[in-house]
């Protein structure tokens, strides 16, 4: 019984140490690191592609794709940029700092301004694993329903900003935007909240502004 608790503690301790070395690397090169969490299909890859389309010419972007298996998402990103690494977790429901550390060795991190990490689609497990990122971001989407902050509070508490995608679907669903915002505010009053549609592009400029501001802040440090 005691042994089991010790193993779990060690896993987190080991992750903390590796997260710190990732953070040091990001700090040394003044590269902004974003860790995006969401359910499968909320639009993480779509948002990364939108970000590259808007900022790819002026900002050096690297992407780390996390999935249980396949190189599907990395291939999509590769159409836009070269600096992309796919991590296959082989069944694990989240990325950890060691996996990200290895992926960083394959990226030209020293010449990056922004590294976006697409975590494994899951609203629970990735929350507990610091990857050394500057911002842990949650992306919710209209089709998932407005109750996600109520059902999965830890991810909404630990993330900032909170993003809401697929706003183009709001008119044809019973998603109550007021309720969603109220519930997010209840558990994370200071979180920035950005809503958009990767499909129509509406609202995406607010996200781009936010990213650019953080990239500049990190460069200025
Ligand atoms: N209607 C709508 N569909 C979207 C939007 N963003 C992404 N999708 C679609 O949602 C599906 C999953 O998107 P993807 O980016 O792969 O999600 P991920 O699993 O979180 O990376 C794809 O079919 C996208 O085309 C959006 O804003 N509106
Ligand atoms: Mg994806």
């Amino acid at each position: 019984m005691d042994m089991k608790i010790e193993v779990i503690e060690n896993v987190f301790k080991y992750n903390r140490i590796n997260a710190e070395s990732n953070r040091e690397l990001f700090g040394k090169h003044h590269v902004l690191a974003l860790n995006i969490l969401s359910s499968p299909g909320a639009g993480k890859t779509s948002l990364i592609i939108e970000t590259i389309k808007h900022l790819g010419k002026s900002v050096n972007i690297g992407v780390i794709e996390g999935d249980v298996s396949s190189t599907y998402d990395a291939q999509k990103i590769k159409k836009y940029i070269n600096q992309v690494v796919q991590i296959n977790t082989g069944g694990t429901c989240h990325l950890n700092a060691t996996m990200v550390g290895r992926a960083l060795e394959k990226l030209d991190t020293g010449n990056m301004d922004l590294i976006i990490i697409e975590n494994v689609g899951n609203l629970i497990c990735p929350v507990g694993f610091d990857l050394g990122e500057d911002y842990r971001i949650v992306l919710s989407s209209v089709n998932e329903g407005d109750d996600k902050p109520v059902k999965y509070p830890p991810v909404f508490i630990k993330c900032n900003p909170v993003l809401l995608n697929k706003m183009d679907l709001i008119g044809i669903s019973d998603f109550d935007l007021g309720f969603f915002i109220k519930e997010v505010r209840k558990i994370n009053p200071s979180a920035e909240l950005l809503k958009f549609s990767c499909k129509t592009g509406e609202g995406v400029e607010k996200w781009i502004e936010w990213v650019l501001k953080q990239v500049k802040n990190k460069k200025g440090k």
Side-chain angles (χ1 to χ4, degrees):
M1 188 70 165
D2 277 356
M3 280 293 284
K4 203 171 180 184
I5 291 168
E6 205 172 297
V7 170
I8 291 167
E9 278 181 354
N10 282 342
V11 167
F12 286 115
K13 191 175 161 195
Y14 193 57
N15 192 72
R16 260 199 308 277
I17 294 165
N18 285 310
E20 276 321 309
S21 32
N22 293 346
R23 206 182 316 281
E24 267 174 37
L25 188 71
F26 297 137
K28 183 176 150 199
H29 297 299
H30 302 279
V31 52
L32 179 76
L34 306 179
N35 176 13
I36 304 186
L37 277 53
S38 87
S39 317
K44 297 179 294 304
T45 308
S46 306
L47 182 63
I48 293 170
I49 291 172
E50 283 306 303
T51 310
I52 296 168
K53 280 185 185 167
H54 281 82
L55 295 176
K57 285 204 174 79
S58 54
V59 175
N60 283 332
I61 305 175
V63 173
I64 297 175
E65 282 292 337
D67 279 299
V68 169
S69 79
S70 88
T71 56
Y72 202 69
D73 280 355
Q75 279 166 8
K76 281 189 192 169
I77 305 288
K78 197 94 185 175
K79 287 181 188 155
Y80 301 90
I81 54 167
N82 262 323
Q83 291 286 313
V84 53
V85 178
Q86 177 83 50
I87 299 173
N88 281 163
T89 64
T92 308
C93 54
H94 57 85
L95 292 178
N96 64 40
T98 316
M99 295 171 187
V100 169
R102 286 209 197 106
L104 288 171
E105 288 169 13
K106 304 210 182 298
L107 290 175
D108 187 11
T109 310
N111 285 314
M112 297 276 122
D113 305 310
L114 168 65
I115 290 182
I116 309 177
I117 304 165
E118 175 172 344
N119 218 310
V120 178
N122 184 319
L123 283 179
I124 305 162
C125 314
V127 182
F129 288 83
D130 181 9
L131 306 179
E133 72 273 2
D134 294 285
Y135 288 92
R136 200 176 307 177
I137 296 165
V138 60
L139 174 67
S140 209
S141 62
V142 167
N143 57 301
E144 292 168 61
D146 52 22
D147 57 3
K148 292 300 152 298
V150 182
K151 290 186 175 173
Y152 302 92
V155 70
F156 288 90
I157 292 169
K158 289 276 178 78
C159 287
N160 180 30
V162 171
L163 310 178
L164 180 61
N165 187 29
K166 309 200 186 181
M167 285 299 288
D168 56 293
L169 301 178
I170 202 124
I172 53 161
S173 81
D174 58 1
F175 190 98
D176 183 341
L177 186 58
F179 175 77
F180 179 85
I181 294 173
K182 191 180 83 192
E183 292 305 318
V184 171
R185 290 270 167 264
K186 234 190 243 175
I187 55 178
N188 192 347
S190 61
E192 205 152 345
L193 226 151
L194 302 172
K195 354 182 246 305
F196 48 76
S197 163
C198 287
K199 190 181 170 103
T200 65
E202 207 180 333
V204 171
E205 72 285 351
K206 291 276 174 215
W207 159 252
I208 298 298
E209 271 170 35
W210 182 87
V211 175
L212 205 50
K213 188 174 155 202
Q214 308 314 324
V215 167
K216 283 180 182 162
N217 280 349
K218 190 80 189 248
K219 284 282 154 206
K221 271 181 202 165

